[in-house]
Amino acid sequence: MSEPELNTKDATPSSTPDDLNKAAFEVIGQPRRRVDGRSKVLGQTPFADDLKLPRMLHMRLLRSPYPHARIRGIDTSRAERADGVKLVLTGADLPIPYGILPVSQDEHPLCPDVVRFVGDPVAAVVADTEEQAQAALRSIEVDYEVLTTIASAEEALEVHEPQIHRYAQSGNIHKRVALEFGDVPEALDGADHVFEDVFFYQGNTHLPIEQHASLAALDPDGKLAIWSSTQTPHYLHKALAKALEFPAHKIRVIACPNGGGFGGKSDPFNHEVVACKAALVLGRPVKVCLNREEVFYCHRGRHPVLMRFRTGVKQDGTIVGMDLETLLDGGAYGSYGVASTFYTGALQTVTYEIPRYRFRAARAFTNKPPCGPKRGHGTVQPRFGQEIQLDKIAVALGKDPAELRLQQLVKDDSLTANYLSISKIGLRQCIEKVVEGSDWKRRWGKLPEGRGLGLACSSYLSGAGLPIYWNKMPHSGVQLRIDRMGAVTAFCGATEIGQGSDDVLAGCVAEVLGLDPHDIHLRTGATDITPIDLGSYSSRVTLMMGNAAIEAAERARSTIAAAVAEKLSVPKGRLVFAERRVFDSADPEQGMSFQEAVILAEAKFGTLGSVGSYTPPVSPARFKGGGVGPSPTYSYSAAVVEVEVDPLTGWLHVHKVWIGHDIGRALNPVLVRGQVEGSVYMGLGEGLMEEQTFRRLPPKLSHAAVHKFPSLLEYKSPTALDMPEVVTYLIEEPDPRGPFGAKEVGQGPLLPIMPAIANAVFDAVGVRVDETPISPEKILAALDLKAKGKPARTGPKGFPTIEWPEPFKVAPPWEGGDGRADDDPKAQRRAISEVRS
Amino acid sequence: MTEEIAGDQKVMGRFRVNGDEHHVAYAPHKTLLEVLREDLDLPGTKHGCELGECGACAVLVDGVPTLSCLLLGLEATEREVLTVEGLADDARLHPLQAAFADLGGSQCGYCTPGVLVTAKALLDETPKPTREQIQEALAGNLCRCTGYLQIFEAVEAAAEECAP
Amino acid sequence: MMRVPQFRYLAPKSVGEAAKILRGEVPSAQLFAGGTDLIPNMKRGQQVPKTLVGLRGLHALREVHADGGLSLGAGLSLSSVAGEGRIPLAQRALIMAAGKVATPQIRNMGTLGGNLCLDTRCNYYNQNYEWREAIGFCKKAPDGVAIQEVTHGTCWVAPSSPRCWAVNSSDSAPALIALGAEISLVSADGERRIPLAELYHHDGMAFLSKRPDELLTQVHLPAVDASWRSTYWKLRRRGSFDFPVVSVGAAVSLDAGGVVQAARVVIGAVTSAPVVLDASALVGAPLTDEAIAAFADAAVKPARPLDNTDFHLSWRKRVVREYVAGALRELRGDTADQLGLLARSAARILPLAACS
């Protein structure tokens, strides 16, 4: 890793143990108004659709009514003559494909030859008004040749032709992966018990209340600008340069504050590329705002995943090996799918010690909107299965599910079987808190029929260890400018999607410089003026941007301190930056205002600025596929959910949730609690009611495979009346790898909710629902089976036979592995660490 | 006599929004939402579905929480409309606004305008609402970020603040 | 942004004027009150009336008269109805139903008459034009836009059926029918008064017996004595927003010994019209567990839920039984604790067993 150019000798690494133990922070850890709070409550936050430019035109997209069809021809002549129409574009105008991952550049701005789901865009109309553009869409005539529809992952396993994408690994299987860490069949053979369970996690979507919108314009100097509701302006920037064949250095992408993202605005989207194209052609600003139905077609949400767990345990419940297979329904395009596929097996090992682990996964292409990353990306589904299976194991072995977990937690500073590097793990405290709060020991298994408690745990990344396109550059950069007015401006490419990234940036800089966060000017998410940050995904921003911000601020502090030290004739190390002053810690009267200090420094050193950057540590995983899962550190959560079930109908009510989250350090506890509760909320939605499902009409009557209900009314998102009481415990054990010790919080606390509900339903009425959503219909079906004396379970019947490739075999650290696959010529077979005995 | 407004051309209308009077030409098939955002330059009011299914576009009409996406502009003329832009007292935040900003009531901020005006109507009517009353009052405003609890707490804090 | 297609807007100043306009403009005119049903339908292109007859100016439609019973103007907002203090406790089913429609904002806008005349709903029909085009337009909207008579098109929920199976999803209708309400319909020919139950047809398209040139002006609640009590149970996934997918409006008159003197039980949201059950079997005996069970078992048969709403249809059918039984147990005076979880979600708003 090369040192950044502007590094100075005085810069100290962020978050040294001394920092973490600092007695009192002035900003960090204080509950306070977020820096963008005022703008939000005034309604002045500029979301993309709120923007207007002179001479602005409006765009609408024509979308395919067929799930799978070849385009034989498009006649746009009538549309071109329609009222107000300025431009009509089709696939022929934009021939270059793009996609978020380098390995799946499979999307076109407008489909040139094949449409792959109902809603796939085929043409665009730009007109004076949105209504004119919409009206003209209907006069575009597209001649389609209908192709066979492939509507599910199981169907994709059977139907090899037609292929939805020619580049699929085989037939309609996009990607298969197989990894094995130690001899798993041997471990299972030697186990006292092997539990085999099949689970299904239904697909669902992000449902941000803001619909995606973009405004593209040709700047007066001939450069291209786009303001967009995107979580990843840098990746959009790259996609635009490619798809438009426009010089990357002449593009600026401005990520507007997102009206909710949750992963749904992380891909470069058709409408963004096409609006830019139209702006380039017409030389006028072009606005597009999707309607709610179209947002459902953008999707990139939770993959439906079928999974089979085979877990071997000793008599006391200690896991000896786990064999996991997953089948993902990917929808029509790659999106983040290859990463999602790996994520369905990446994080099983980071909570409980699993000495041997095999993971095999396949992702299918289907004629539905593409799936991708949603809060907890790919790890949510297998966590659901894993945590329910643990509950079953506990019940079968007569153990308390909390104790079963506590007896085999992963340890601090350890490596997992699949070479994930664990820093600090606060899961024990999380479990202890929720067990205590819910009075678990007295109440679990002992509540009256119809009432139940369920427990589940989870973990999530604090940022992905690798960028989406592999490179050795920093993942996040922060730049500060400081001037004689005492003003500090922080620049960073990070994107505010509601999670509070602006507040983290201001908070970190303010803490180091002794200022108030509200003093800091912020310029974020604009690729022409802000240093690159990879985007608001994988819970990476707090950790990565935070560390970069601290580095930049410490460098600035050092420069200013040098000037002040000279002036006051005190050693630099004695200077303190606090309360907008710089002063001698030995004699606090001796000092000056921050502004005076800056004036001294500007006079001595010239114009002031500093930079900081963050690159994650190199992962010890050196096998193919080892790039997904590593993270600088992992957050941990545990939840207990209390439910009531009506035995006659299966009606389910969640009374209360206790959740503990290992945050490392809460930078702003108000926002941290908001992320925890928001995650609980979304988990309740996924667990109880949300599903992105499709209508497959009788093929004789219709080819359609349509989204069942692309509306906010019928896609069920919990309301203010559906939210139970939530008790949140923040576990603060500062992690040396995080800024001021902080870990992620935006995604992890979602994960334990769904399995905890399922486990609570079992405690309440003795039935298992092994799939989401856990609806009253499914509970009642299981109750019916129970009444007949049959296995009281609703869930998938089995897992299909998949031709798995031979796994990459990697010896776990405690079996002499060095992080390389056995067939890697460099494999050296030496122990990396003796963290487990 | 029956009033008639034809559909194919703009008409003049007098809108009273946040205490300001606007005499503007607008298309009569526009909803109040479109008139506010597109003709009166008041983009604070948001839209999430335009079908009455989310509450993001809520405004007060004569003090009553109303979905601007379902109210025709021509039925909103000559009535008192309050949007999020009219909540603050000049530069001073309304107690609800301050509480939402301080207590996490607003994350992405997109549902916030609709939630705030709806909560204002609640406090105008019921200065000391119970938690249940707050939940009922805000049951028509979907929020995907907060899980609502910090919203409820912010309303409660504002009610305290407003109390004499 | 979803937008309303162009229309001509007429604002009559009296019911008479409105009736005259309707007579002249049928079938291109559409009555327009709260707009909470029609505006979304217009934006989705399900209904594209050329003329809207706006009723907002008709103050008479927002009046409440005590005339032995109570006459409620059809133009009253659902919020006003839910907060109407003159509705006796015995007729609380209406307050419960009106108070559970959609959301507070929708109730502030939507009217009682609008909820009674709510367009029937179906997951194949309440979709954007493009979605409906993708599957092929259905019977209710064969050319994209709803019509009143069958011409062509498939009913996607029951492809072999000759009729449309869109669901009557009104909350207030089952409650008001259970209360024995009547309505006034005004046209240029004059006024007629019919039992509310007669307003509905078992047809998803021609679901109202109201002629297009008629205006629903008033809802009449009969005078009741203290022997009556009523309730409304609503099944929906969430605490708000959702239309009912099973509902029960029930009213009984009990003598001092708890013997049923009269009873009306209506199931909503399980087919194209509210289903009025034959409650004669309940009369003359107390509401014992056995009597309730027998009645609830029989109630399931006329319920015909199909796969065009939220929840699985066979489960909805199961719920019909439990809701009918639960509503009757509530009316006989079971406490909230006895009624349990189902009642708490189904019948919230008023304290349970308030009449007992």
Side-chain angles (χ1 to χ4, degrees):
Chain A
M1 189 170 51
S2 63
E3 288 294 320
E5 222 178 342
L6 296 176
N7 204 351
T8 70
K9 271 181 252 161
D10 297 321
T12 49
S14 58
S15 306
T16 58
D18 278 356
D19 280 340
L20 301 179
N21 298 328
K22 187 171 154 185
F25 292 111
E26 289 203 311
V27 175
I28 296 306
Q30 306 302 319
R32 54 185 173 77
R33 174 179 296 185
R34 56 192 295 163
V35 294
D36 49 358
R38 183 178 165 89
S39 137
K40 287 176 199 273
V41 298
L42 285 166
Q44 289 181 357
T45 298
F47 297 101
D49 193 43
D50 298 340
L51 305 177
K52 278 183 183 175
L53 285 173
R55 303 176 69 233
M56 185 171 84
L57 300 168
H58 297 267
M59 186 177 89
R60 294 287 300 151
L61 297 176
L62 179 71
R63 294 176 183 272
S64 169
Y66 294 105
H68 200 191
R70 194 177 310 287
I71 300 171
R72 282 193 290 233
I74 304 186
D75 181 355
T76 59
S77 53
R78 276 174 57 216
E80 280 158 21
R81 293 192 301 271
D83 277 355
V85 170
K86 295 288 189 289
L87 180 67
V88 181
L89 293 169
T90 66
D93 300 304
L94 287 149
I96 302 171
Y98 64 93
I100 184 70
L101 297 188
V103 293
S104 47
Q105 299 284 300
D106 59 0
E107 299 188 51
H108 282 87
L110 297 166
C111 298
D113 47 4
V114 175
V115 291
R116 295 181 173 87
F117 67 96
V118 171
D120 217 359
V122 293
V125 174
V126 181
D128 288 330
T129 69
E130 193 181 31
E131 283 171 291
Q132 288 169 332
Q134 178 69 29
L137 290 183
R138 291 197 190 161
S139 56
I140 296 175
E141 287 164 35
V142 187
D143 180 17
Y144 290 105
E145 176 195 341
V146 174
L147 302 173
T148 303
T149 300
I150 293 141
S152 70
E154 288 84 350
E155 217 174 323
L157 289 173
E158 303 290 322
V159 183
H160 305 287
E161 288 288 338
Q163 275 189 297
I164 294 173
H165 287 286
R166 284 284 155 208
Y167 81 96
Q169 260 183 359
S170 73
N172 282 304
I173 299 305
H174 174 195
K175 176 83 181 169
R176 284 177 306 182
V177 303
L179 294 166
E180 186 170 4
F181 305 92
D183 188 335
V184 169
E186 183 189 82
L188 297 186
D189 279 350
D192 292 332
H193 304 277
V194 175
F195 288 83
E196 177 168 337
D197 289 286
V198 185
F199 301 93
F200 177 65
Y201 200 97
Q202 180 59 283
N204 53 54
T205 199
H206 320 81
L207 208 78
I209 306 293
E210 181 207 25
Q211 300 144 313
H212 304 51
S214 306
L215 171 59
L218 195 57
D219 281 336
D221 61 0
K223 298 193 183 81
L224 175 65
I226 179 169
W227 293 259
S228 195
S229 43
T230 177
Q231 300 178 230
T232 52
H234 172 60
Y235 294 140
L236 173 58
H237 191 151
K238 282 178 67 77
L240 290 172
K242 183 191 181 206
L244 299 169
E245 290 187 290
F246 198 82
H249 65 276
K250 288 186 168 181
I251 297 174
R252 58 189 183 115
V253 176
I254 302 97
C256 296
N258 287 200
F262 317 114
K265 294 167 181 168
S266 307
D267 285 60
F269 284 103
N270 312 68
H271 61 269
E272 295 174 316
V273 183
V274 181
C276 285
K277 175 72 178 181
L280 286 176
V281 171
L282 295 168
R284 289 178 66 173
V286 175
K287 161 86 77 77
V288 58
C289 182
L290 304 189
N291 67 29
R292 181 52 59 181
E293 182 180 5
E294 294 176 289
V295 173
F296 279 96
Y297 296 153
C298 286
H299 191 44
R300 322 286 160 152
R302 189 87 69 221
H303 285 73
V305 177
L306 183 63
M307 52 207 143
R308 174 162 60 197
F309 282 82
R310 293 199 309 136
T311 303
V313 296
K314 293 185 198 161
Q315 191 55 42
D316 71 349
T318 304
I319 297 167
V320 297
M322 178 182 282
D323 186 14
L324 169 62
E325 294 161 276
T326 65
L327 173 62
L328 296 80
D329 180 346
Y333 291 97
S335 182
Y336 285 77
V338 171
S340 319
T341 307
F342 279 107
Y343 272 128
T344 63
L347 299 192
Q348 291 348 96
T349 54
V350 300
T351 43
Y352 320 109
E353 291 186 332
I354 299 177
R356 288 184 179 178
Y357 178 53
R358 182 165 68 179
F359 160 59
R360 292 171 293 183
R363 183 181 194 259
F365 282 127
T366 55
N367 293 120
K368 299 187 289 196
C371 299
K374 183 187 172 194
R375 209 170 196 173
H377 188 190
T379 71
V380 168
Q381 301 94 325
R383 180 56 63 179
F384 177 73
Q386 185 176 12
E387 294 293 320
I388 296 176
Q389 191 184 46
L390 271 180
D391 202 67
K392 293 182 181 185
I393 292 171
V395 169
L397 301 181
K399 297 205 59 148
D400 178 328
E403 292 302 325
L404 181 76
R405 287 168 169 89
L406 287 168
Q407 78 187 34
Q408 49 193 326
L409 295 178
V410 164
K411 296 182 178 61
D412 283 348
D413 303 311
S414 63
L415 274 185
T416 67
N418 56 341
Y419 289 88
L420 301 180
S421 163
I422 306 300
S423 176
K424 290 274 173 272
I425 166 165
L427 184 52
R428 176 172 302 278
Q429 297 93 312
C430 292
I431 295 174
E432 287 167 353
K433 279 288 182 190
V434 297
V435 160
E436 187 193 338
S438 63
D439 203 4
W440 171 269
K441 292 210 164 79
R442 281 205 312 120
R443 299 204 304 145
W444 175 75
K446 301 184 188 80
L447 289 172
E449 183 72 10
R451 278 261 182 174
L453 291 177
L455 178 136
C457 302
S458 67
S459 174
Y460 196 66
L461 318 166
S462 296
L466 288 174
I468 277 166
Y469 63 102
W470 290 13
N471 66 78
K472 291 182 172 174
M473 292 176 282
H475 290 216
S476 189
V478 170
Q479 196 166 350
L480 298 181
R481 70 172 280 289
I482 301 170
D483 72 18
R484 60 192 76 174
M485 309 308 287
V488 177
T489 308
F491 299 86
C492 181
T495 306
E496 175 59 52
I497 61 171
Q499 86 282 44
S501 68
D502 279 6
D503 194 67
V504 169
L505 178 59
C508 289
V509 171
E511 181 65 49
V512 173
L513 295 180
L515 303 173
D516 185 292
H518 293 265
D519 294 344
I520 314 290
H521 297 277
L522 297 171
R523 294 290 178 272
T524 56
T527 65
D528 57 336
I529 52 173
T530 58
I532 296 220
D533 175 276
L534 294 179
S536 290
Y537 67 96
S538 84
S539 270
R540 52 174 296 290
V541 172
T542 291
L543 188 135
M544 300 199 190
M545 177 193 71
N547 278 328
I550 291 171
E551 185 175 80
E554 286 181 341
R555 286 171 175 169
R557 183 176 65 184
S558 176
T559 304
I560 296 166
V564 175
E566 184 182 88
K567 174 79 175 177
L568 299 180
S569 304
V570 297
K572 206 172 143 186
R574 268 195 5 220
L575 292 176
V576 173
F577 286 60
E579 295 168 350
R580 298 191 179 108
R581 288 184 72 234
V582 183
F583 55 90
D584 181 358
S585 59
D587 177 9
E589 293 300 305
Q590 268 283 88
M592 63 190 70
S593 72
F594 180 76
Q595 183 181 6
E596 287 164 337
V598 170
I599 287 170
L600 285 178
E602 192 174 336
K604 182 173 170 65
F605 298 108
T607 302
L608 297 178
S610 69
V611 295
S613 54
Y614 180 80
T615 310
V618 175
S619 164
R622 283 179 257 178
F623 51 90
K624 205 175 168 197
V628 177
S631 173
T633 187
Y634 300 85
S635 77
Y636 290 88
S637 311
V640 168
V641 171
E642 180 167 356
V643 303
E644 184 177 357
V645 176
D646 173 52
L648 293 174
T649 58
W651 187 260
L652 170 63
H653 180 76
V654 174
H655 279 285
K656 193 165 174 177
V657 177
W658 295 261
I659 182 151
H661 183 72
D662 166 26
I663 177 72
R665 167 143 9 236
L667 299 183
N668 181 347
V670 177
L671 271 61
V672 168
R673 214 192 102 206
Q675 288 301 309
V676 173
E677 289 173 359
S679 295
V680 170
Y681 164 83
M682 200 164 271
L684 290 168
E686 295 193 16
L688 299 173
M689 56 183 85
E690 294 184 33
E691 47 185 331
Q692 168 115 334
T693 49
F694 293 81
R695 289 259 188 219
R696 182 75 187 276
L697 296 172
K700 260 189 289 181
L701 296 171
S702 169
H703 300 280
V706 284
H707 192 295
K708 205 167 170 185
F709 28 57
S711 75
L712 275 172
L713 178 64
E714 293 300 332
Y715 181 93
K716 304 299 184 187
S717 175
T719 73
L721 287 167
D722 302 306
M723 189 67 188
E725 186 187 345
V726 177
V727 180
T728 299
Y729 306 100
L730 298 182
I731 308 303
E732 295 195 70
E733 192 182 316
D735 188 311
R737 296 181 191 170
F740 302 110
K743 301 182 182 186
E744 77 89 34
V745 62
Q747 310 193 52
L750 178 147
L751 281 91
I753 302 302
M754 298 73 64
I757 297 170
N759 294 341
V761 167
F762 178 77
D763 189 40
V765 289
V767 304
R768 290 286 177 188
V769 178
D770 288 342
E771 62 177 64
T772 63
I774 302 160
S775 64
E777 295 107 310
K778 291 172 190 167
I779 296 173
L780 187 61
L783 284 168
D784 286 349
L785 290 169
K786 187 184 171 195
K788 290 178 194 152
K790 294 182 178 165
R793 170 186 181 265
T794 305
K797 299 260 183 297
F799 192 89
T801 305
I802 296 174
E803 260 181 57
W804 295 116
E806 190 55 29
F808 285 109
K809 288 187 164 44
V810 185
W814 40 87
E815 294 183 23
D818 67 350
R820 291 192 169 91
D822 285 359
D823 58 359
D824 183 331
K826 288 187 198 152
Q828 290 179 14
R829 285 270 163 208
R830 64 179 168 78
I832 281 192
S833 147
E834 288 302 321
V835 288
R836 298 197 207 184
S837 50
Chain B
M1 260 300 281
T2 298
E3 246 184 83
E4 173 170 346
I5 297 174
D8 53 354
Q9 51 201 350
K10 281 194 174 182
V11 295
M12 292 303 292
R14 203 178 294 278
F15 292 91
R16 290 209 299 272
V17 185
N18 305 327
D20 296 333
E21 189 126 329
H22 303 266
H23 196 54
V24 293
Y26 70 102
H29 60 286
K30 277 192 175 183
T31 57
L32 176 61
L33 170 71
E34 294 157 270
V35 173
L36 289 171
R37 289 181 57 87
E38 296 168 358
D39 299 315
L40 301 181
D41 233 355
L42 290 168
T45 301
K46 304 304 176 200
H47 60 103
C49 67
E50 304 98 62
L51 297 169
E53 300 172 352
C54 71
C57 69
V59 298
L60 301 189
V61 177
D62 295 332
V64 176
T66 300
L67 298 178
S68 63
C69 76
L70 300 183
L71 181 65
L72 292 175
L74 58 84
E75 293 200 331
T77 56
E78 311 288 346
R79 299 167 80 185
E80 291 296 338
V81 176
L82 183 81
T83 72
V84 69
E85 288 100 336
L87 269 184
D89 179 5
D90 294 331
R92 209 176 70 232
L93 297 183
H94 186 280
L96 276 166
Q97 291 175 306
F100 271 61
D102 288 338
L103 302 177
S106 180
Q107 282 188 23
C108 81
Y110 200 80
C111 74
T112 305
V115 173
L116 282 172
V117 296
T118 304
K120 179 187 185 295
L122 170 70
L123 295 190
D124 287 349
E125 182 111 330
T126 314
K128 276 292 173 71
T130 62
R131 175 62 67 96
E132 289 69 30
Q133 286 172 318
I134 296 170
Q135 283 182 278
E136 287 285 352
L138 298 179
N141 297 83
L142 280 184
C143 169
R144 284 292 276 181
C145 293
T146 60
Y148 303 105
L149 300 176
Q150 288 182 323
I151 291 179
F152 302 154
E153 289 166 15
V155 175
E156 286 160 352
E160 282 293 325
E161 182 67 23
C162 291
Chain C
M1 181 124 59
M2 303 281 291
R3 292 171 196 270
V4 184
Q6 290 185 3
F7 53 81
R8 189 166 68 111
Y9 181 87
L10 301 176
K13 293 284 194 296
S14 69
V15 171
E17 267 183 40
K20 245 185 261 169
I21 294 168
L22 281 180
R23 171 62 52 89
E25 300 264 343
V26 166
S28 64
Q30 179 85 37
L31 290 168
F32 183 80
T36 55
D37 185 32
L38 187 58
I39 293 285
N41 283 3
M42 288 174 74
K43 286 182 174 180
R44 288 187 296 241
Q46 293 157 252
Q47 287 168 289
V48 189
K50 291 193 174 61
T51 302
L52 294 183
V53 182
L55 304 177
R56 187 176 297 273
L58 305 187
H59 300 286
L61 297 188
R62 289 197 288 277
E63 288 171 1
V64 179
H65 296 290
D67 44 10
L70 209 59
S71 289
L72 302 165
L76 285 166
S77 73
L78 292 159
S79 298
S80 312
V81 173
E84 176 51 62
R86 282 169 286 183
I87 298 172
L89 196 56
Q91 291 171 333
R92 80 202 240 280
L94 173 60
I95 292 174
M96 296 170 81
K100 279 188 275 194
V101 173
T103 68
Q105 291 93 342
I106 298 258
R107 295 195 291 274
N108 289 340
M109 303 174 75
T111 64
L112 180 60
N115 191 248
L116 290 175
C117 297
L118 185 74
D119 192 13
T120 53
R121 299 185 59 84
C122 173
N123 276 352
Y124 291 91
Y125 168 68
N126 296 102
Q127 300 278 3
N128 286 354
Y129 184 93
E130 290 77 12
W131 190 98
R132 290 179 289 130
E133 188 182 33
I135 64 166
F137 292 112
C138 74
K139 224 185 250 314
K140 188 167 165 76
D143 301 308
V145 176
I147 58 160
Q148 296 291 316
E149 289 162 40
V150 178
T151 51
H152 56 285
T154 309
C155 173
W156 285 110
V157 67
S160 58
S161 166
R163 79 157 170 100
C164 161
W165 285 86
V167 180
N168 187 305
S169 307
S170 169
D171 281 302
S172 54
L176 279 167
I177 294 171
L179 296 177
E182 298 187 343
I183 55 169
S184 291
L185 297 168
V186 173
S187 71
D189 299 333
E191 178 173 338
R192 63 184 177 120
R193 183 162 159 162
I194 59 169
L196 175 60
E198 290 175 16
L199 179 64
Y200 300 106
H201 284 159
H202 274 278
D203 185 309
M205 288 159 61
F207 56 95
L208 294 179
S209 65
K210 180 182 89 65
R211 299 195 311 266
D213 70 335
E214 281 181 322
L215 180 65
L216 194 168
T217 56
Q218 290 201 303
V219 176
H220 309 282
L221 287 173
V224 285
D225 61 34
S227 74
W228 282 91
R229 54 190 62 182
S230 67
T231 190
Y232 177 72
W233 283 37
K234 172 175 182 172
L235 175 69
R236 55 179 159 181
R237 181 88 59 169
R238 302 178 290 180
S240 58
F241 284 101
D242 298 339
F243 286 92
V245 290
V246 166
S247 66
V248 174
V252 297
S253 163
L254 302 179
D255 71 12
V259 173
V260 178
Q261 296 172 301
R264 282 185 295 264
V265 183
V266 184
I267 312 173
V270 286
T271 184
S272 299
V275 177
V276 183
L277 299 175
D278 176 2
S280 55
L282 291 174
V283 176
L287 288 169
T288 59
D289 287 351
E290 295 71 27
I292 289 173
F295 184 77
D297 286 342
V300 176
K301 201 173 174 211
R304 300 284 300 277
L306 293 175
D307 181 24
N308 58 352
T309 72
D310 191 21
F311 287 120
H312 195 273
L313 62 105
S314 62
W315 184 77
R316 282 165 65 210
K317 211 163 156 86
R318 292 270 292 267
V319 170
V320 168
R321 189 199 176 280
E322 305 311 329
Y323 265 45
V324 168
L328 290 174
R329 286 170 50 215
E330 186 198 356
L331 293 182
R332 79 177 175 187
D334 282 14
T335 64
D337 275 353
Q338 290 168 320
L339 289 166
L341 173 63
L342 210 56
R344 288 205 302 280
S345 65
R348 57 184 304 157
I349 297 285
L350 283 188
L352 290 166
C355 307
S356 56

